[in-house]
Amino acid sequence: MDLDGIGMTSRRTRDRLVNRLRDQGIRSDPVLGAIQNVPRHLFLEEALSHRAYEDTALPIGFNQTLSQPYIVARMTEALLAAGHLKKVLEIGTGSGYQTLILSELVDRVYSVERIAALQDRARKLLRKLSVRNVQYHLSDGGYGWSMMGPFDGIIVTAAPEKVPEDLLSQLSPRGGRLVIPVGDSKHQELLLIVREGGSYRRERLEPVRFVPLLNGTVR
Ligand code: SAH
């Protein structure tokens, strides 16, 4: 694979994307830096790669979408807002784009996907990009990944109708942070939930539109 791809051109388009995200209120320099570094076009099929740096969601097959850069930035910023995180669980590997962004910002990423073909593609691409701090798991992410928990952070990129109990219980009791879209196909909201011991503080971030969190796995 030609990792330089569109080379300088794509670096300049990425600069423009980062400026747009700044205008939209993203403030975290580490997050903006990661978006600047990551070649988003590699996560799309060739026919779509010229649209990689538009601030829009794009199809990745299997009725799934690569999230809009603004949403990736907003979620990552909310996850990291209280400082550095060591262990982060991601539900919905999809293309692996959000996974790669996370891998640059936290110590270890545990990424769960329910569709084997998407997981394989993401795993291969991240291996080619020499990413070594990600572990993958084919499973229904609604149950989290209890063997690897508790997690300092959990980020979910598909929307359940209500927050899964297993994700709450796998948050670190010392400030574990969960960023998750919740709702149905008509109304969804992005939530930040912070755990302190047995209490869970909820903050509504903004209205969003994600594909639904589905049950079971597809092999
Ligand atoms: N973060 C991804 C976005 C993918 S879209 C990216 O950057 O490309 C949502 C993803 O969540 C899809 O890949 C979908 O298959 C996955 N998903 C949906 N329900 C799931 C579940 N219960 N467990 C794990 N993954 C799930």
Side-chain angles (χ1 to χ4, degrees), residues 38-191:
V38 168
R40 194 168 188 264
H41 60 274
L42 298 181
F43 293 83
L44 295 161
E45 49 180 286
E46 221 160 286
L48 282 170
S49 59
H50 69 287
R51 300 190 56 195
Y53 302 101
E54 294 175 18
D55 191 18
T56 176
L58 292 166
I60 55 172
F62 304 91
N63 277 326
Q64 303 302 318
T65 55
L66 171 56
S67 306
Q68 182 193 353
Y70 169 75
I71 288 295
V72 173
R74 182 83 170 94
M75 292 177 81
T76 312
E77 184 170 66
L79 192 72
L80 296 173
H84 183 76
L85 302 181
K86 292 198 171 106
K87 290 171 65 179
V88 169
L89 174 66
E90 174 190 44
I91 307 300
T93 314
S95 68
Y97 176 72
Q98 169 86 69
T99 320
L100 178 53
I101 299 269
L102 287 171
S103 78
E104 296 205 350
L105 297 168
V106 309
D107 293 352
R108 287 211 71 80
V109 182
Y110 300 85
S111 190
V112 180
E113 171 58 54
R114 67 181 284 279
I115 301 177
L118 286 175
Q119 184 194 43
D120 287 346
R121 208 159 69 190
R123 189 206 302 265
K124 285 188 185 126
L125 179 52
L126 267 60
R127 192 187 294 140
K128 278 202 185 103
L129 296 169
S130 303
V131 175
R132 297 190 210 292
N133 59 342
V134 178
Q135 269 172 268
Y136 306 88
H137 187 37
L138 185 74
S139 170
D140 181 339
Y143 301 104
W145 191 354
S146 62
M147 231 173 69
M148 299 301 182
F151 301 98
D152 307 312
I154 301 180
I155 185 167
V156 185
T157 62
E161 293 201 357
K162 59 187 271 288
V163 180
E165 284 297 325
D166 285 320
L167 297 185
L168 294 173
S169 69
Q170 288 170 35
L171 277 178
S172 159
R174 284 180 301 278
R177 301 166 74 80
L178 169 61
V179 178
I180 183 168
V182 175
D184 57 27
S185 58
K186 294 202 187 71
H187 303 281
Q188 286 175 14
E189 222 162 7
L190 190 61
L191 302 181

Side-chain angles (χ1 to χ4, degrees), residues 10-11 27 37 56 69 196 219:
S10 89
R11 179 161 291 280
R27 291 278 166 269
N37 284 340
T56 176
E196 289 296 345
R219 283 173 196 275

